[in-house]
Amino acid sequence: MQAEQKIVAQLVKKFAFLQERIFVQRQKRIFTLPLVKEEFEQVLPYLHAELGFAKASLVVGTDDGDDLGFIYILSNREGIILALKEKTPKSDPRIKTVTDLFPALALHERELVNLFGAVVEGLPGDSSFPLPDGWPEGSYPMRKDWNPQYFDQETMTYNPPSQEVEKEGGNE
Amino acid sequence: MKPKKGNNRIVIPIGPQHPSLKEPGCFRITLEGEKVVHAEIDIGYNHRGLEKACESRNYIQTLYLIERVCGICSHTHSTAFCQGIEELAGLSIPPRAAYIRVIVSELERLHSHLLWLGVAGHEIGFDTLFMYSWRDREKVLDVLAEVCGNRVNYGINTIGGVRRDLDESMQQNIAKVIAFLEDQLKYYLDLALTDPTLSARLAGIGKLSREDALKYGAVGPVARAAGIMEDIRIIEPYAAYIEVPVKPVTDTRADVLGRTVVRIQEMLESLEIIGYCLKNLPGGELTVKAPRRIPAGEVISRTEAPRGENIHFIRANGTDILDRVRVRAPTEANWHGMKHMLEGEYLADVPITIAAIDPCYSCADRAIVINSERKTEMMDWQGLREYSIDWYKKRGLDLSAVKMPERKIYI
């Protein structure tokens, strides 16, 4: 685990805010705690340019209550995987695209837009992936409060109970 | 077809129905004469919310859903998921289970690559190769059915080990199949390396250089055919691969011919691996007891699927239902280089170029098929046939008059 410890030490030396927020989980696995947008945007280019983490396999979106989480899974030529986490409040879920450094993550970022309602600044194109065209706007199925039982496949509308109650009240 | 004003460019949409393979995906190809100058890829037609469905089911139910991410390489997904959960729960599976996982995994690689070889032959009009290769694939599927009870979606993995043992007769049948395949595969390799028609049709097509393969994150045979030695069985051994020797297979052609040669050589290597496992199969238990509730934590589990690196990210929250699972199937990684491969090609080479990454749309979109039967039972082939006749009869279609020959293993 020497190589992993060395990477962690190098990162902590460069970015003081990573102190106690980055750890070796096991051999070939390094995890960080969630970083805010400004911190994340400093660490990612450094990992890419200086530490050889040139391959990005995927971005995992997570719903963490008041925040949206994004876990960027990067690896270097030695096969060490670093899971770099970013978080942003759901009230303003803005992140910056990383496709300039990692073009392979374009589809993954599009998925964050579609399924989690993230706003990915600078992401090229505007096609819908992976949800079909005509999916109701503002309906993000991978958020924890989205319940498939309120989705009507026929009309492609999402009708959670609070809206149904209001509708019934209006009819009376 | 939509001609654009002011130039000779024509846009041809290929798909979403059956774009070279019988799966949905759409490729908008812009042509100048016969040359592809621009390609757009539109996938997602198979997305049915598998990951969301997993967030409301327990770990065992999720395992069966995860296995259905892909029909061809289902075992690799269930292996990645199980070993992720086992890591979180601190379980180590019995050695015999680890060997059985590897045997099934390599049989799966054989049938997947043989399927691909047939499809590739079909795409270039070489249907004899398609028929030979699919005939050979049937033998692999036969032993898989005998070992696991099913041709695909084997259901052999469980959290903590495997559900079925390999008895003497199964081991003998596997040995017979690998002995038969060795000769066949050597013949296909010779064909790929020496046949002028194959090489004229495949060499120089769908180029993805080593640099581009790294840039676009290509995995599996696509990356290895560009000279990148990346094989999870070697760089991060799991299950019995920790003990079983695996020789790396790479090529430097970086084209469709290179991918063909790599896949055939990988199949020969799979035969070696299976042979080693059969010879050194340890005795003992098949499972260790797994807890119903999995301790909170996060894990990144990797396996080498037939199409390349398969990654599962799992977050457990201490209950019997997981918090998040994200499946990154290999095809999802290989799409990114596809646009690059297509641009500059001739239109006639588009189907084989698409087919050459061995795309699996279900994997990339993570499809779902649910059967919520709660009963657990083993069915033999006759029982399965009676069940299907009954199933159709309830829906107004009586197939009981259809006569079927007695089924026997084709070895």
PDB file of all heavy atoms in Angstrom, chain B residues 14-34:
ATOM      1  N   ILE B  14     -28.993   5.270 -39.021  1.00  0.00           N
ATOM      2  CA  ILE B  14     -28.949   3.800 -38.951  1.00  0.00           C
ATOM      3  C   ILE B  14     -29.490   3.419 -37.579  1.00  0.00           C
ATOM      4  O   ILE B  14     -28.932   3.774 -36.566  1.00  0.00           O
ATOM      5  CB  ILE B  14     -27.523   3.274 -39.156  1.00  0.00           C
ATOM      6  CG1 ILE B  14     -26.988   3.740 -40.512  1.00  0.00           C
ATOM      7  CG2 ILE B  14     -27.493   1.747 -39.069  1.00  0.00           C
ATOM      8  CD1 ILE B  14     -25.586   3.268 -40.827  1.00  0.00           C
ATOM      9  N   GLY B  15     -30.571   2.723 -37.530  1.00  0.00           N
ATOM     10  CA  GLY B  15     -31.241   2.388 -36.264  1.00  0.00           C
ATOM     11  C   GLY B  15     -32.389   3.352 -36.039  1.00  0.00           C
ATOM     12  O   GLY B  15     -32.754   4.084 -36.952  1.00  0.00           O
ATOM     13  N   PRO B  16     -33.063   3.368 -34.878  1.00  0.00           N
ATOM     14  CA  PRO B  16     -32.690   2.581 -33.703  1.00  0.00           C
ATOM     15  C   PRO B  16     -33.028   1.092 -33.801  1.00  0.00           C
ATOM     16  O   PRO B  16     -32.603   0.329 -32.944  1.00  0.00           O
ATOM     17  CB  PRO B  16     -33.495   3.239 -32.583  1.00  0.00           C
ATOM     18  CG  PRO B  16     -34.624   3.922 -33.240  1.00  0.00           C
ATOM     19  CD  PRO B  16     -34.171   4.274 -34.607  1.00  0.00           C
ATOM     20  N   GLN B  17     -33.808   0.678 -34.813  1.00  0.00           N
ATOM     21  CA  GLN B  17     -34.096  -0.753 -34.922  1.00  0.00           C
ATOM     22  C   GLN B  17     -32.947  -1.448 -35.655  1.00  0.00           C
ATOM     23  O   GLN B  17     -32.653  -1.090 -36.786  1.00  0.00           O
ATOM     24  CB  GLN B  17     -35.390  -1.014 -35.715  1.00  0.00           C
ATOM     25  CG  GLN B  17     -36.554  -0.122 -35.351  1.00  0.00           C
ATOM     26  CD  GLN B  17     -37.130  -0.460 -34.000  1.00  0.00           C
ATOM     27  OE1 GLN B  17     -36.925  -1.538 -33.501  1.00  0.00           O
ATOM     28  NE2 GLN B  17     -37.840   0.479 -33.395  1.00  0.00           N
ATOM     29  N   HIS B  18     -32.328  -2.392 -35.004  1.00  0.00           N
ATOM     30  CA  HIS B  18     -31.389  -3.292 -35.661  1.00  0.00           C
ATOM     31  C   HIS B  18     -30.228  -2.595 -36.385  1.00  0.00           C
ATOM     32  O   HIS B  18     -30.052  -2.777 -37.587  1.00  0.00           O
ATOM     33  CB  HIS B  18     -32.186  -4.159 -36.649  1.00  0.00           C
ATOM     34  CG  HIS B  18     -31.399  -5.327 -37.172  1.00  0.00           C
ATOM     35  ND1 HIS B  18     -31.949  -6.234 -38.032  1.00  0.00           N
ATOM     36  CD2 HIS B  18     -30.132  -5.731 -36.987  1.00  0.00           C
ATOM     37  CE1 HIS B  18     -31.038  -7.136 -38.335  1.00  0.00           C
ATOM     38  NE2 HIS B  18     -29.932  -6.851 -37.710  1.00  0.00           N
ATOM     39  N   PRO B  19     -29.440  -1.767 -35.707  1.00  0.00           N
ATOM     40  CA  PRO B  19     -28.274  -1.176 -36.365  1.00  0.00           C
ATOM     41  C   PRO B  19     -27.099  -2.137 -36.359  1.00  0.00           C
ATOM     42  O   PRO B  19     -26.311  -2.143 -35.443  1.00  0.00           O
ATOM     43  CB  PRO B  19     -27.973   0.039 -35.493  1.00  0.00           C
ATOM     44  CG  PRO B  19     -28.447  -0.366 -34.144  1.00  0.00           C
ATOM     45  CD  PRO B  19     -29.494  -1.410 -34.290  1.00  0.00           C
ATOM     46  N   SER B  20     -27.020  -2.990 -37.311  1.00  0.00           N
ATOM     47  CA  SER B  20     -26.003  -4.039 -37.474  1.00  0.00           C
ATOM     48  C   SER B  20     -26.215  -5.207 -36.503  1.00  0.00           C
ATOM     49  O   SER B  20     -25.885  -6.322 -36.818  1.00  0.00           O
ATOM     50  CB  SER B  20     -24.565  -3.512 -37.395  1.00  0.00           C
ATOM     51  OG  SER B  20     -24.094  -3.465 -36.072  1.00  0.00           O
ATOM     52  N   LEU B  21     -26.738  -4.948 -35.335  1.00  0.00           N
ATOM     53  CA  LEU B  21     -27.045  -6.030 -34.400  1.00  0.00           C
ATOM     54  C   LEU B  21     -28.510  -5.920 -34.019  1.00  0.00           C
ATOM     55  O   LEU B  21     -29.105  -4.863 -34.160  1.00  0.00           O
ATOM     56  CB  LEU B  21     -26.199  -5.872 -33.136  1.00  0.00           C
ATOM     57  CG  LEU B  21     -24.701  -5.930 -33.340  1.00  0.00           C
ATOM     58  CD1 LEU B  21     -23.998  -5.200 -32.231  1.00  0.00           C
ATOM     59  CD2 LEU B  21     -24.236  -7.365 -33.407  1.00  0.00           C
ATOM     60  N   LYS B  22     -29.033  -7.008 -33.478  1.00  0.00           N
ATOM     61  CA  LYS B  22     -30.464  -6.979 -33.169  1.00  0.00           C
ATOM     62  C   LYS B  22     -30.710  -6.363 -31.804  1.00  0.00           C
ATOM     63  O   LYS B  22     -31.238  -6.977 -30.901  1.00  0.00           O
ATOM     64  CB  LYS B  22     -31.046  -8.389 -33.274  1.00  0.00           C
ATOM     65  CG  LYS B  22     -31.094  -8.834 -34.711  1.00  0.00           C
ATOM     66  CD  LYS B  22     -31.105 -10.326 -34.855  1.00  0.00           C
ATOM     67  CE  LYS B  22     -30.820 -10.727 -36.280  1.00  0.00           C
ATOM     68  NZ  LYS B  22     -29.404 -10.473 -36.665  1.00  0.00           N
ATOM     69  N   GLU B  23     -30.255  -5.160 -31.634  1.00  0.00           N
ATOM     70  CA  GLU B  23     -30.465  -4.426 -30.392  1.00  0.00           C
ATOM     71  C   GLU B  23     -30.659  -2.962 -30.764  1.00  0.00           C
ATOM     72  O   GLU B  23     -30.243  -2.530 -31.831  1.00  0.00           O
ATOM     73  CB  GLU B  23     -29.253  -4.579 -29.472  1.00  0.00           C
ATOM     74  CG  GLU B  23     -29.122  -5.977 -28.898  1.00  0.00           C
ATOM     75  CD  GLU B  23     -27.998  -6.070 -27.892  1.00  0.00           C
ATOM     76  OE1 GLU B  23     -28.205  -5.728 -26.734  1.00  0.00           O
ATOM     77  OE2 GLU B  23     -26.906  -6.479 -28.288  1.00  0.00           O
ATOM     78  N   PRO B  24     -31.271  -2.160 -29.867  1.00  0.00           N
ATOM     79  CA  PRO B  24     -31.582  -0.787 -30.272  1.00  0.00           C
ATOM     80  C   PRO B  24     -30.476   0.227 -29.979  1.00  0.00           C
ATOM     81  O   PRO B  24     -29.942   0.281 -28.881  1.00  0.00           O
ATOM     82  CB  PRO B  24     -32.832  -0.469 -29.434  1.00  0.00           C
ATOM     83  CG  PRO B  24     -32.670  -1.285 -28.209  1.00  0.00           C
ATOM     84  CD  PRO B  24     -31.850  -2.494 -28.563  1.00  0.00           C
ATOM     85  N   GLY B  25     -30.164   1.013 -30.984  1.00  0.00           N
ATOM     86  CA  GLY B  25     -29.204   2.109 -30.860  1.00  0.00           C
ATOM     87  C   GLY B  25     -29.291   2.887 -32.156  1.00  0.00           C
ATOM     88  O   GLY B  25     -29.665   2.317 -33.187  1.00  0.00           O
ATOM     89  N   CYS B  26     -29.021   4.176 -32.125  1.00  0.00           N
ATOM     90  CA  CYS B  26     -29.164   4.955 -33.352  1.00  0.00           C
ATOM     91  C   CYS B  26     -27.847   5.636 -33.713  1.00  0.00           C
ATOM     92  O   CYS B  26     -27.197   6.231 -32.859  1.00  0.00           O
ATOM     93  CB  CYS B  26     -30.271   5.999 -33.164  1.00  0.00           C
ATOM     94  SG  CYS B  26     -30.700   6.773 -34.715  1.00  0.00           S
ATOM     95  N   PHE B  27     -27.463   5.492 -34.958  1.00  0.00           N
ATOM     96  CA  PHE B  27     -26.222   6.104 -35.437  1.00  0.00           C
ATOM     97  C   PHE B  27     -26.583   7.034 -36.586  1.00  0.00           C
ATOM     98  O   PHE B  27     -27.108   6.574 -37.602  1.00  0.00           O
ATOM     99  CB  PHE B  27     -25.238   5.036 -35.919  1.00  0.00           C
ATOM    100  CG  PHE B  27     -24.887   4.063 -34.832  1.00  0.00           C
ATOM    101  CD1 PHE B  27     -25.713   2.973 -34.556  1.00  0.00           C
ATOM    102  CD2 PHE B  27     -23.760   4.253 -34.057  1.00  0.00           C
ATOM    103  CE1 PHE B  27     -25.411   2.089 -33.538  1.00  0.00           C
ATOM    104  CE2 PHE B  27     -23.453   3.370 -33.037  1.00  0.00           C
ATOM    105  CZ  PHE B  27     -24.279   2.279 -32.774  1.00  0.00           C
ATOM    106  N   ARG B  28     -26.350   8.330 -36.425  1.00  0.00           N
ATOM    107  CA  ARG B  28     -26.609   9.266 -37.530  1.00  0.00           C
ATOM    108  C   ARG B  28     -25.289   9.496 -38.247  1.00  0.00           C
ATOM    109  O   ARG B  28     -24.367  10.106 -37.710  1.00  0.00           O
ATOM    110  CB  ARG B  28     -27.172  10.584 -37.002  1.00  0.00           C
ATOM    111  CG  ARG B  28     -28.630  10.454 -36.641  1.00  0.00           C
ATOM    112  CD  ARG B  28     -29.246  11.761 -36.211  1.00  0.00           C
ATOM    113  NE  ARG B  28     -30.362  11.460 -35.337  1.00  0.00           N
ATOM    114  CZ  ARG B  28     -30.249  11.333 -34.014  1.00  0.00           C
ATOM    115  NH1 ARG B  28     -29.100  11.527 -33.442  1.00  0.00           N
ATOM    116  NH2 ARG B  28     -31.281  11.014 -33.272  1.00  0.00           N
ATOM    117  N   ILE B  29     -25.244   8.948 -39.462  1.00  0.00           N
ATOM    118  CA  ILE B  29     -23.988   8.956 -40.207  1.00  0.00           C
ATOM    119  C   ILE B  29     -24.066  10.035 -41.282  1.00  0.00           C
ATOM    120  O   ILE B  29     -24.971  10.017 -42.123  1.00  0.00           O
ATOM    121  CB  ILE B  29     -23.769   7.581 -40.887  1.00  0.00           C
ATOM    122  CG1 ILE B  29     -23.872   6.433 -39.862  1.00  0.00           C
ATOM    123  CG2 ILE B  29     -22.473   7.533 -41.653  1.00  0.00           C
ATOM    124  CD1 ILE B  29     -22.749   6.322 -38.898  1.00  0.00           C
ATOM    125  N   THR B  30     -23.139  10.985 -41.285  1.00  0.00           N
ATOM    126  CA  THR B  30     -23.082  11.994 -42.350  1.00  0.00           C
ATOM    127  C   THR B  30     -22.034  11.554 -43.364  1.00  0.00           C
ATOM    128  O   THR B  30     -20.878  11.309 -43.006  1.00  0.00           O
ATOM    129  CB  THR B  30     -22.701  13.368 -41.769  1.00  0.00           C
ATOM    130  OG1 THR B  30     -23.609  13.667 -40.721  1.00  0.00           O
ATOM    131  CG2 THR B  30     -22.779  14.447 -42.840  1.00  0.00           C
ATOM    132  N   LEU B  31     -22.494  11.445 -44.613  1.00  0.00           N
ATOM    133  CA  LEU B  31     -21.620  10.927 -45.666  1.00  0.00           C
ATOM    134  C   LEU B  31     -21.241  12.008 -46.660  1.00  0.00           C
ATOM    135  O   LEU B  31     -22.040  12.890 -46.982  1.00  0.00           O
ATOM    136  CB  LEU B  31     -22.340   9.831 -46.452  1.00  0.00           C
ATOM    137  CG  LEU B  31     -22.625   8.512 -45.761  1.00  0.00           C
ATOM    138  CD1 LEU B  31     -23.421   7.627 -46.699  1.00  0.00           C
ATOM    139  CD2 LEU B  31     -21.326   7.819 -45.387  1.00  0.00           C
ATOM    140  N   GLU B  32     -20.021  11.915 -47.133  1.00  0.00           N
ATOM    141  CA  GLU B  32     -19.616  12.713 -48.290  1.00  0.00           C
ATOM    142  C   GLU B  32     -19.169  11.682 -49.310  1.00  0.00           C
ATOM    143  O   GLU B  32     -18.112  11.067 -49.134  1.00  0.00           O
ATOM    144  CB  GLU B  32     -18.472  13.644 -47.900  1.00  0.00           C
ATOM    145  CG  GLU B  32     -18.442  14.898 -48.751  1.00  0.00           C
ATOM    146  CD  GLU B  32     -17.494  15.930 -48.136  1.00  0.00           C
ATOM    147  OE1 GLU B  32     -16.292  15.679 -48.171  1.00  0.00           O
ATOM    148  OE2 GLU B  32     -17.972  16.925 -47.601  1.00  0.00           O
ATOM    149  N   GLY B  33     -20.008  11.438 -50.312  1.00  0.00           N
ATOM    150  CA  GLY B  33     -19.777  10.287 -51.178  1.00  0.00           C
ATOM    151  C   GLY B  33     -19.994   9.033 -50.357  1.00  0.00           C
ATOM    152  O   GLY B  33     -21.033   8.876 -49.727  1.00  0.00           O
ATOM    153  N   GLU B  34     -18.985   8.172 -50.293  1.00  0.00           N
ATOM    154  CA  GLU B  34     -19.097   6.933 -49.510  1.00  0.00           C
ATOM    155  C   GLU B  34     -18.437   7.070 -48.143  1.00  0.00           C
ATOM    156  O   GLU B  34     -18.465   6.157 -47.345  1.00  0.00           O
ATOM    157  CB  GLU B  34     -18.435   5.781 -50.275  1.00  0.00           C
ATOM    158  CG  GLU B  34     -19.234   5.271 -51.464  1.00  0.00           C
ATOM    159  CD  GLU B  34     -20.476   4.508 -51.034  1.00  0.00           C
ATOM    160  OE1 GLU B  34     -20.375   3.646 -50.171  1.00  0.00           O
ATOM    161  OE2 GLU B  34     -21.559   4.822 -51.560  1.00  0.00           O
TER     162      GLU B  34
END
